[in-house]
Amino acid sequence: MTTSNKKITVLILEDERSLQQAILKKFESSNIGAVTFSSGKAAIEYLKNNIDTLPDLIWLDYYLEDLSGLDFMYEIKKDAHLANIPVIVVSNSASPDKVQKMLSLGAKKYLLKAENKLDDIVKTIYELMGANSTTQV
Amino acid sequence: MKLPVKIAAIVFCGIFLSLVWAVFVKNFILLLLGFIVVAFLIWLAVVRIVLRPISKINQVAKIIASGNLGQQINVSSSDEIGELGVTINLIVKNLSKAFQGMANSLRDVKEKGEELANAKAEDDAILASIGDGAIAVDRRGVIIFHNKETENLLGWSKQDMIGRLWNEILVSLDDKGAILPSNQQPISQALSSGQKVSTVCCYAKKDGSIFPVAVTASPIMVGNIVGGIIIIFRDITKEKEVDRMKTEFISLASHQLRTPLSAIRWFTELLLDGTGGELNKEQKELVQNVSDSSDRMNELVKSLLNISRIESGRIIIDPEPTDLVELVKGIIKELEAKIKDRQQNLIISAHSQLPKISIDPRLISQVYMNLLTNAIKYTPKGGQIEVYISKKEDQIISQVSDNGYGIPKKDLPKLFQKFYRGENIVKIETDGTGLGLYLVKAIIDSSRGKIWVESEEGKGTTFYFSLPLSGTPAKSGEISLDS
């Protein structure tokens, strides 16, 4: 057993229950910790109240119960504590307009659900997290 | 007996009588009396033989002259005067026939005139009741006729229209109100080519508002020359609305389908990679089938979305100078694995000095991707696929050939229709949406190119498409394909 680094935690913002379940299952088997929200406002609330235990990455769907992905980005970028958390957008709608806006606001990646396997997304997450992460599967 | 003879007879009789009288009478006074009587007798005879018949003829002639062509001259003698009578009768008979003929013709003409007037009244009624605008222009382009519906649709009055040139009122516009170039004006095209032209465009009303129309301009040929044009046009605002709603519906439905599709794909992924527990061989096969089907559905949804985007006209066209050969090579690289798997041979060749061309590489990539994917799919293992790009006049022609199953002749006209799949390959290869070529054609059309195909069943197929060297104009829009 190698010395494991801190387990990655991801905040998942996805308003479809079935998809939430699939993502959670994958994270479980990939040893990634997760916290899920379907409401953008509730997620922001949670983040603001947990400055000491912020997630390592945010998985953001574009269409949420209450906010759009864009509004969410605006909100967290306003807050100094939250602005540096890397965000990946995983949505089923990727018009050039949306993609460009989100990336210019600081999103690291914009991925189409329909074109990406869960495994691919997890690989991307690890790439973004850099070399200081290993998993125990 | 002819006249000269008759007159000679009278004169000789007279002379004879005189001579006889002179022989028997010696008295001078009696002699004179006798000669006077003879002269008188001669005079009577002449009157009777010559003057009376002439006078009779004259009388009848006068009656005829007054208009009574039924009157005939009673001819009794067989001399020249009698002949005159016969001739005059003949003249009158012929005149009578001629007049009768003219009277008949006149009656026919009158009847025809009435028929025409009735037909015109019917046509007028039909034209007035057509729900479409109908206009006629002469060969100079001057408006010579229009129906009531034209006035209603365009807002111009009768006085406004007659005598005007067509391009003051019927000029075709694009949907933003800009005047289309002359080679896209149906009336110009019909006037110069002598061919019927149908198109969809916009017209402006008198008040300046724009509405979409379907227009057909049909030339009226006089021998080989265009005598005029008949234009029929129809307000298609409703149809366009329905079309837009249909496109929006496809877009909405497809987007909605994506969520459960994503769920299916992710859960089958988790099943297959053992997250829920290791599967046995049979279970893996079953789940693999689900995965394959959901992949197909994914492709279908993607194609439907692309089509609805193209049909809504909202696709962005972002042209840039592109080297088509490099573009194709990129696509071939993506398909390398498939080609190897099917042990097929792919050759690409091109003219040595192909210029770069201003097209949207994302859109044209789709075209090559689709044509090559089809070539690979519909050619048996070990087959041969060739790509050849060349320049011809002001076009760049791309060819994608294979020696595969080919396309039956009767399927060729329907090839580019939505959901159409050739009958021969549906049995061999069930995987396919039937939307690929529809999309390809839509992209080529909007790039100002043309696409066509040659094929022989069992031998192979070649798809050709042209792109103008002048490139594709940029188009601002809201979406791109596959987004």
Side-chain angles (χ1 to χ4, degrees):
Chain A
M1 213 146 87
T2 52
T3 4
S4 61
N5 290 315
K6 186 165 138 311
K7 187 165 140 180
I8 301 176
T9 45
V10 173
L11 178 102
I12 305 170
L13 264 164
E14 167 63 64
D15 67 342
E16 278 291 327
R17 296 261 153 225
S18 56
L19 295 179
Q20 270 185 15
Q21 275 198 327
I23 303 167
L24 280 174
K25 257 273 177 297
K26 181 64 181 176
F27 280 2
E28 218 181 272
S29 72
S30 312
N31 204 23
I32 299 178
V35 135
T36 25
F37 286 94
S38 50
S39 151
K41 290 203 183 107
I44 294 174
E45 205 45 54
Y46 168 85
L47 287 169
K48 291 199 167 148
N49 291 337
N50 289 280
I51 306 283
D52 299 324
T53 50
L54 289 174
D56 298 299
L57 180 129
I58 299 177
W59 166 311
L60 176 63
D61 187 7
Y62 194 91
Y63 291 109
L64 301 167
E65 258 171 28
D66 48 2
L67 298 174
S68 75
L70 207 61
D71 295 328
F72 180 84
M73 284 297 277
Y74 277 133
E75 280 305 310
I76 59 166
K77 290 301 174 190
K78 273 198 264 179
D79 188 323
H81 299 285
L82 309 177
N84 290 324
I85 311 175
V87 177
I88 58 168
V89 184
V90 187
S91 172
N92 255 333
S93 164
S95 67
D97 192 42
K98 291 191 187 94
V99 174
Q100 201 243 351
K101 281 210 182 101
M102 295 301 267
L103 292 176
S104 66
L105 278 176
K108 298 285 179 205
K109 289 256 181 220
Y110 198 120
L111 305 169
L112 259 181
K113 281 178 201 159
E115 299 286 304
N116 286 280
K117 295 167 87 156
L118 285 168
D119 205 49
D120 297 330
I121 306 180
V122 166
K123 284 203 176 86
T124 307
I125 293 176
Y126 277 125
E127 270 167 28
L128 283 173
M129 295 286 87
N132 62 333
S133 58
T134 48
T135 48
Q136 285 181 330
V137 181
Chain B
M1 213 191 338
K2 296 291 170 204
L3 258 184
V5 174
K6 283 187 187 170
I7 293 186
I10 294 170
V11 169
F12 276 126
C13 277
I15 293 178
F16 182 71
L17 276 175
S18 305
L19 283 175
V20 168
W21 187 253
V23 163
F24 286 109
V25 172
K26 297 289 170 193
N27 190 323
F28 182 72
I29 296 179
L30 272 174
L31 209 64
L32 207 58
L33 265 164
F35 288 154
I36 290 173
V37 167
V38 167
F40 182 67
L41 285 171
I42 292 177
W43 180 79
L44 267 178
V46 168
V47 165
R48 193 169 176 274
I49 291 176
V50 178
L51 286 169
R52 205 187 295 161
I54 289 185
S55 156
K56 252 207 278 190
I57 288 176
N58 199 22
Q59 264 180 356
V60 180
K62 281 202 183 124
I63 295 177
I64 293 172
S66 73
N68 186 347
L69 291 179
Q71 200 55 266
Q72 291 259 292
I73 294 169
N74 227 336
V75 175
S76 39
S77 52
S78 56
D79 60 15
E80 283 87 341
I81 296 181
E83 270 177 46
L84 181 64
V86 169
T87 306
I88 291 182
N89 280 345
L90 201 58
I91 291 176
V92 171
K93 196 153 98 181
N94 286 341
L95 266 175
S96 178
K97 247 200 272 188
F99 278 135
Q100 191 59 41
M102 278 206 311
N104 285 344
S105 295
L106 249 145
R107 194 187 51 233
D108 283 343
V109 166
K110 190 153 162 263
E111 262 174 31
K112 258 286 171 287
E114 274 169 13
E115 256 179 54
L116 279 172
N118 282 341
K120 181 170 189 304
E122 263 179 48
D123 287 344
D124 281 347
I126 292 175
L127 280 169
S129 64
I130 296 180
D132 295 348
I135 301 184
V137 299
D138 66 17
R139 76 165 83 95
R140 298 166 295 153
V142 176
I143 298 179
I144 51 178
F145 162 83
H146 69 279
N147 70 345
K148 193 88 181 71
E149 191 58 22
T150 306
E151 290 172 35
N152 294 344
L153 286 172
L154 295 177
W156 296 97
S157 71
K158 206 191 202 103
Q159 294 90 298
D160 291 330
M161 293 213 253
I162 297 287
R164 290 244 198 184
L165 278 173
W166 67 266
N167 57 7
E168 294 175 59
I169 295 182
L170 288 175
V171 63
S172 294
L173 312 166
D174 68 14
D175 53 13
K176 306 237 178 349
I179 298 182
L180 290 169
S182 166
N183 64 353
Q184 288 178 47
Q185 294 285 344
I187 302 177
S188 297
Q189 287 179 293
L191 274 171
S192 60
S193 70
Q195 307 272 356
K196 186 166 91 158
V197 177
S198 284
T199 188
V200 166
C201 57
C202 289
Y203 278 169
K205 297 193 202 215
K206 184 174 182 179
D207 65 10
S209 60
I210 302 172
F211 65 105
V213 290
V215 183
T216 301
S218 310
I220 310 167
M221 301 309 282
V222 179
N224 270 346
I225 309 178
V226 177
I229 307 281
I230 301 220
I231 301 118
I232 306 280
F233 68 95
R234 199 173 77 240
D235 183 337
I236 54 170
T237 310
K238 277 227 182 65
E239 277 127 318
K240 283 231 152 174
E241 184 59 24
V242 167
D243 203 50
R244 191 189 60 84
M245 277 165 46
K246 175 207 78 179
T247 300
E248 260 182 39
F249 174 73
I250 292 179
S251 176
L252 199 65
S254 305
H255 267 297
Q256 300 285 59
L257 284 170
R258 275 193 150 163
T259 300
L261 246 180
S262 294
I264 293 174
R265 297 181 77 218
W266 282 352
F267 281 115
T268 46
E269 183 195 336
L270 292 173
L271 271 172
L272 283 172
D273 73 13
T275 306
E278 201 57 43
L279 298 177
N280 67 35
K281 187 158 175 275
E282 202 182 328
Q283 285 168 333
K284 258 214 177 98
E285 254 178 56
L286 294 173
V287 179
Q288 187 61 48
N289 270 306
V290 175
S291 175
D292 291 342
S293 282
S294 72
D295 279 345
R296 270 173 66 186
M297 232 172 99
N298 200 34
E299 282 307 308
L300 191 61
V301 167
K302 211 162 86 175
S303 294
L304 280 174
L305 275 170
N306 282 340
I307 285 170
S308 69
R309 282 169 188 143
I310 287 201
E311 286 186 348
S312 71
R314 289 157 64 211
I315 295 266
I316 302 167
I317 300 182
D318 196 10
E320 53 189 74
T322 308
D323 181 337
L324 287 180
V325 178
E326 287 307 310
L327 197 69
V328 177
K329 283 190 176 153
I331 303 290
I332 294 176
K333 204 150 169 51
E334 276 185 59
L335 294 170
E336 233 168 30
K338 256 192 217 166
I339 299 170
K340 218 161 157 198
D341 179 60
R342 287 179 72 79
Q343 293 155 351
Q344 287 165 341
N345 190 19
L346 197 147
I347 305 172
I348 172 170
S349 62
H351 268 190
S352 55
Q353 305 246 340
L354 273 181
K356 283 197 181 174
I357 180 176
S358 177
I359 47 100
D360 187 325
R362 286 153 293 270
L363 293 175
I364 303 298
S365 289
Q366 282 266 350
V367 172
Y368 283 119
M369 177 62 94
N370 189 280
L371 293 178
L372 283 168
T373 309
N374 281 352
I376 295 169
K377 203 155 70 161
Y378 300 124
T379 300
K381 289 203 169 160
Q384 172 109 329
I385 300 165
E386 288 172 27
V387 178
Y388 178 60
I389 308 179
S390 60
K391 178 162 107 77
K392 186 170 177 201
E393 289 163 15
D394 61 344
Q395 308 277 326
I396 293 198
I397 316 276
S398 299
Q399 253 174 264
V400 178
S401 316
D402 64 63
N403 60 353
Y405 306 120
I407 304 167
K409 284 257 176 312
K410 63 179 175 68
D411 288 339
L412 286 176
K414 305 185 235 171
L415 211 56
F416 296 100
Q417 286 176 9
K418 273 187 224 172
F419 300 115
Y420 193 81
R421 303 191 69 218
E423 276 175 26
N424 59 337
I425 47 90
V426 165
K427 300 176 195 133
I428 304 170
E429 173 68 63
T430 48
D431 183 18
T433 57
L435 291 173
L437 284 177
Y438 176 82
L439 203 56
V440 160
K441 182 165 190 303
I443 294 175
I444 299 288
D445 285 346
S446 62
S447 305
R448 304 263 185 93
K450 288 212 175 8
I451 181 164
W452 64 103
V453 60
E454 281 169 11
S455 181
E456 202 180 323
E457 204 173 346
K459 287 255 176 72
T461 305
T462 302
F463 276 91
Y464 301 86
F465 69 91
S466 65
L467 290 169
L469 275 172
S470 52
T472 310
K475 183 165 165 312
S476 64
E478 293 136 43
I479 34 191
S480 56
L481 298 182
D482 290 348
S483 57

